[in-house]
Amino acid sequence: MSLEELRTLLARHVRADWTTAIDGVLISKVDRADPPSPSMSGTVLAVIAQGAKRLALGDRIYEYGPGQYLVASVDLPVTGQFTRADPEQPALGFGLVLEPSAVAELLLQSGPGDVPRAGEGIPSGIAVSDAPAALLDAVVRLLRLLDEPRDRAVLAPLVKREILWRLITGEQGATVRQIGLADSGLSHISRAVRWIREHYAQPFLVEDVARMSGMSVSAFYRNFQAVTAMSPIQFQKQIRLQEARLLLATHPGDVTGVGQRVGYDNASQFSREYRRRFGAPPSVDAARLRDAGRTPASALPDLGRTGAP
């Protein structure tokens, strides 16, 4: 019953920009299965109510469908597509942005034994599970508040806390809990990811970023690979190319300038790596985007159309 009502609520309240009247809650609706396209995952919970989606992170593939949820604990460059979506049965998804401060607050308030013991090693930055009935019920109650503006300001924060608690104590709890732990392995990698994203156009030494993250080079490299499914240099390349595509959407005639702005000194290398990533040279891809009237997914708010939900 929860899944059926979830579909109804999502279809009724979806907006063109996927935002809602509840801060941090997004609703997606896609009525066609587009080819795979790159975006950033966001730090989110995503629940699929109808349709199906495939997401690639490095060499890892994640697939999820109705009644399943995905957690992204780090904002990562992904390639994704809805694999089941058409006008008669569009893909419908719910998204909730995960805030580290909210996770940390719940962890501080939990009593001894309330939270499962963490396993060894650092979890992947993305995980998929079947959504338990209690989690789906909380999501449905949160969406019902979109029809109840008088109650929304008071009750929405309470229901969001319940959803977080269901995640923290659920199958992917280890991943979610690390979002709120200031000294967790995931938080160290998140800082490195954020630094690389903010300085993507600059060359760097892995040793320097490892030191900045408070890890030895070997531990940093191992943990970075576990979370992102790629090396730090591969991660930087993904960010550079996604930023280049976004810039080319507004500056299609300045391929050389765009390549230099994102950190490429060699124009032929930029063109070669861009083509390998997006299937066409920069100038051709820019023209294709312009003619189709499309905006690259990385330009969309928070939950990119190929990220989550």
Side-chain angles (χ1 to χ4, degrees):
M1 246 347 241
S2 291
L3 200 56
E4 184 177 339
E5 185 177 359
L6 178 58
R7 294 189 190 103
T8 300
L9 288 165
L10 292 173
R12 182 158 73 242
H13 292 290
V14 67
R15 297 172 175 174
D17 65 357
W18 294 13
T19 62
T20 70
I22 300 176
D23 186 44
V25 172
L26 295 101
I27 296 174
S28 64
K29 179 182 178 182
V30 174
D31 59 9
R32 62 181 183 181
D34 285 332
S37 183
S39 72
M40 299 302 296
S41 67
T43 305
V44 297
L45 158 71
V47 179
I48 292 288
Q50 184 168 281
K53 191 165 191 180
R54 180 181 298 123
L55 212 63
L57 172 66
D59 59 358
R60 300 175 194 158
I61 304 295
Y62 301 89
E63 299 190 63
Y64 56 119
Q68 294 184 304
Y69 72 94
L70 174 144
V71 171
S73 58
V74 181
D75 192 14
L76 297 169
V78 295
T79 299
Q81 67 177 140
F82 286 93
T83 54
R84 293 207 307 270
D86 59 57
E88 292 185 2
Q89 280 202 316
L92 295 168
F94 163 89
L96 176 65
V97 177
L98 301 178
E99 300 289 351
S101 59
V103 176
E105 183 181 354
L106 283 176
L107 291 176
L108 287 171
Q109 292 177 355
S110 63
D114 289 345
V115 176
R117 292 174 60 88
E120 293 185 4
I122 187 169
S124 172
I126 290 179
V128 171
S129 286
D130 293 334
L135 176 61
L136 288 177
D137 179 65
V139 169
V140 166
R141 284 187 282 110
L142 182 61
L143 290 172
R144 284 177 188 160
L145 292 173
L146 293 172
D147 293 318
E148 301 167 5
R150 186 190 64 181
D151 301 330
R152 191 185 301 145
V154 172
L155 297 183
L158 302 179
V159 184
K160 286 201 284 187
R161 282 168 58 85
E162 179 185 346
I163 291 172
L164 276 183
W165 183 249
R166 300 294 181 192
L167 294 177
I168 287 169
T169 57
E171 186 175 348
Q172 302 303 335
T175 295
V176 179
R177 290 192 296 273
Q178 290 211 51
I179 298 174
L181 297 175
D183 200 40
S184 69
L186 182 62
S187 69
H188 291 300
I189 297 303
S190 295
R191 283 198 293 272
V193 164
R194 187 163 53 251
W195 187 91
I196 294 172
R197 287 195 64 194
E198 291 172 354
H199 302 85
Y200 66 86
Q202 304 174 12
F204 67 86
L205 295 175
V206 173
E207 293 85 346
D208 292 339
V209 182
R211 190 180 308 111
M212 186 189 316
S213 304
M215 294 182 176
S216 68
V217 174
S218 59
F220 172 73
Y221 193 92
R222 182 174 64 252
N223 289 334
F224 196 97
Q225 185 84 22
V227 172
T228 68
M230 61 192 87
S231 73
I233 301 301
Q234 289 172 327
F235 181 88
Q236 181 195 42
K237 183 188 296 185
Q238 297 269 39
I239 299 298
R240 283 181 170 182
L241 293 173
Q242 288 195 10
E243 291 295 326
R245 197 179 198 215
L246 180 58
L247 288 170
L248 283 169
T250 53
H251 302 85
D254 188 19
V255 172
T256 300
V258 166
Q260 290 173 345
R261 284 179 63 182
V262 300
Y264 283 91
D265 296 326
N266 186 306
S268 61
Q269 181 187 3
F270 169 57
S271 181
R272 183 170 60 252
E273 292 186 357
Y274 190 101
R275 180 171 188 166
R276 188 179 302 132
R277 175 67 172 150
F278 300 117
S283 57
V284 174
D285 187 50
R288 184 172 60 189
L289 288 171
R290 185 181 63 249
D291 293 343
R294 291 177 54 198
T295 300
S298 53
L300 296 166
D302 287 322
L303 307 186
R305 290 184 186 266
T306 55

